[in-house]
Amino acid sequence: MKNTIAAFATTATLALALTAPAASAMEQELNMITGALFNTLSNAGLPTDVIQELSLAEIAEIQLTLHGGDGEGEKMRTIRNILARHQ
């Protein structure tokens, strides 16, 4: 029984140790994307105070909008609508 508990504990520890670097890398990537989004919104004169409330899907939607083929006015309207969900 003690060997079984020790085996489970070892397995759980190894699982956490292996997933921690991946989670850290994902967090760093999200921070980079969020930082770039902050700079873009700030430069465009758009509010930046709700960035931390945006979902990953909303951040992706904003990024796709920024790099899409719409005109600047349409891009800004779409982004304002996304940001307005959190104001």
Side-chain angles (χ1 to χ4, degrees), residues 10-59:
T10 301
T11 303
T13 302
L14 288 174
L16 287 174
L18 293 175
T19 58
S24 177
M26 287 176 48
E27 185 176 337
Q28 286 178 343
E29 290 175 9
L30 180 59
N31 287 340
M32 288 174 49
I33 291 170
T34 303
L37 180 59
F38 176 87
N39 291 335
T40 301
L41 295 179
S42 181
N43 290 337
L46 295 171
T48 58
D49 55 337
V50 297
I51 288 178
Q52 296 302 323
E53 297 174 25
L54 296 174
S55 69
L56 187 55
E58 289 170 324
I59 292 171

